[in-house]
Amino acid sequence: MNLVYLHRTLRFISVIGIVVAGALALFFVSKVTYPFIIGFLIAFMMNPLVNFFQTRAKMPRSLAVLISLVLIMLVFAGLITLLVVEIASGAEYLAKVVPEHLVTLIDYIEHLFAAQLIPLYNQLTGMFQSLESGQQDTIMDNIQNVGATIGTTTGNFIKDFFEKIPNILSWFPNAATVLIFSLLGTFFISKDWYRLSAMGTRFLPNRARTSSKTVFDDLKKALFGFVRAQATLVSITTVIILIGLLILRIDYAITIALVTGIVDIIPYLGTGAVFVPWIIYEAIAGEMSTAIGLGVLYVVVLVQRQIMEPKILSSSIGLDPLATLIALFVGFKTIGFLGLIVGPVILVIFNTLQRANVFRDIWTFIKGKDEVILK
């Protein structure tokens, strides 16, 4: 019996078991501690600002954390206020022009019915009357089945929608509670950041302490790089859209560019959620020059996004462009649009663990020190 291979197999199984148990424990614990995980992430991201106030302005750590939190909240409140004002201004404009466009759309639908659908209906009616009675009955049964299916589906959708309204309303108190606990958690975690860091590393062996520091530093660099990359991509998209809308002489170009840039953060949908309906409407309304201009602008935005995203992500988080592109595609195919974010993050974690020699240390543990094969 080969005891060396047996021991290696047992050690390999133990490593897999520890990883799976750790992942499951993290999953179940995070379900009840996620406000504090959010607080940790906020504290992690604003730690450079807190350090700046603490070292440059000679503030106590608690006061530096409080000022940093207030500044961040004021910035977000200012951005939301600016966005609401711009949207309100755009809504006022839309309230004036939408009725005119609605009349145009109704005229188009009336023309479509008169010129296309009614003659087609008469033609189908004539064909139906020429069929045998059995064939007519079969067609009517199929139409009734389709109608019943559509009615059932619509009824279930409406029923589910109204049944979910209490859940949606109950989300607001829960969101407020999570926000309060996250802000409190952010304050206390950031205030005791270095004490908690020292406490966490105190329980680790020296070898694991070095590896964990490398992993943490690389992940921090990758996280800030990822945020910077997304901000860069959104900024580029917003500027291109603004320039295109100004060339096309579209009213409220700044508001539309800002809203579309924010929508671009949403993976998979992106700018298409704004441009596609807009282009279709302009074509229906007879504004073909505007529809073509918007179509060209949309294509330009899509092309620059596909070209720039792998390059900016790779340069910001230190990954190979091809590996980043593969991570984006595999993530999207595996779990949908959320995979466009999860894919690069997993790649960053894998690359960080590789640079920290974590996989090498695990393989060394699995192999063991005994290289003598006993029989």
Side-chain angles (χ1 to χ4, degrees), residues 307-341:
I307 293 175
M308 297 297 294
E309 185 171 15
K311 184 177 180 181
I312 292 177
L313 280 177
S314 62
S315 61
S316 298
I317 61 182
L319 296 176
D320 181 75
L322 178 60
T324 305
L325 187 62
I326 294 174
L328 289 169
F329 182 78
V330 172
F332 171 72
K333 284 295 185 180
T334 304
I335 57 176
F337 69 88
L338 186 62
L340 296 176
I341 298 176

Side-chain angles (χ1 to χ4, degrees), residues 237-250:
T237 300
T238 303
V239 170
I240 291 176
I241 293 173
L242 178 60
I243 294 173
L245 294 180
L246 291 175
I247 293 174
L248 295 174
R249 297 182 180 180
I250 302 294

Side-chain angles (χ1 to χ4, degrees), residues 97-321:
V97 301
V98 163
E100 301 175 1
H101 294 315
L102 187 60
V103 171
T104 303
L105 181 61
I106 292 174
D107 291 340
Y108 174 81
I109 294 174
E110 290 177 351
H111 176 74
L112 179 64
F113 267 92
Q116 302 292 334
L117 296 182
I118 292 178
L120 179 61
Y121 171 76
N122 293 331
Q123 183 180 359
L124 292 176
T125 303
M127 294 175 60
F128 179 77
Q129 295 297 333
S130 64
L131 297 175
E132 297 179 359
S133 59
Q135 295 174 329
Q136 293 180 3
D137 293 339
T138 302
I139 293 176
M140 291 302 299
D141 290 340
N142 292 330
I143 293 175
Q144 290 175 359
N145 291 334
V146 171
T149 303
I150 294 175
T152 303
T153 304
T154 305
N156 291 335
F157 174 78
I158 296 174
K159 178 183 176 182
D160 293 339
F161 174 77
F162 283 105
E163 287 179 348
K164 289 179 180 178
I165 288 179
N167 295 330
I168 296 174
L169 294 178
S170 65
W171 178 83
F172 290 99
N174 181 63
T177 304
V178 171
L179 178 62
I180 293 173
F181 276 95
S182 297
L183 291 177
L184 290 175
T186 300
F187 177 80
F188 289 110
I189 292 173
S190 183
K191 182 176 72 71
D192 297 327
W193 180 263
Y194 293 104
R195 184 178 67 84
L196 294 175
S197 299
M199 185 184 303
T201 56
R202 189 182 307 161
F203 297 99
L204 297 176
N206 292 330
R207 185 69 174 272
R209 191 179 305 171
T210 303
S211 299
S212 62
K213 186 177 184 305
T214 303
V215 172
F216 184 79
D217 292 340
D218 285 353
L219 288 178
K220 180 172 66 174
K221 178 182 176 182
L223 175 62
F224 283 106
F226 184 79
V227 173
R228 184 171 60 251
Q230 293 299 325
T232 302
L233 289 170
V234 170
S235 301
I236 293 174
T237 300
T238 303
V239 170
I240 291 176
I241 293 173
L242 178 60
I243 294 173
L245 294 180
L246 291 175
I247 293 174
L248 295 174
R249 297 182 180 180
I250 302 294
D251 294 328
Y252 291 91
I254 297 178
T255 303
I256 297 173
L258 288 174
V259 172
T260 310
I262 294 174
V263 172
D264 190 47
I265 299 176
I266 304 174
Y268 189 60
L269 291 178
T271 55
V274 176
F275 273 103
V276 173
W278 192 4
I279 293 170
I280 293 174
Y281 172 77
E282 293 293 344
I284 292 175
E287 301 291 338
M288 292 305 301
S289 59
T290 304
I292 293 173
L294 291 174
V296 172
L297 178 59
Y298 180 47
V299 171
V300 170
V301 170
L302 282 181
V303 171
Q304 71 83 21
R305 180 80 182 194
Q306 298 301 318
I307 293 175
M308 297 297 294
E309 185 171 15
K311 184 177 180 181
I312 292 177
L313 280 177
S314 62
S315 61
S316 298
I317 61 182
L319 296 176
D320 181 75

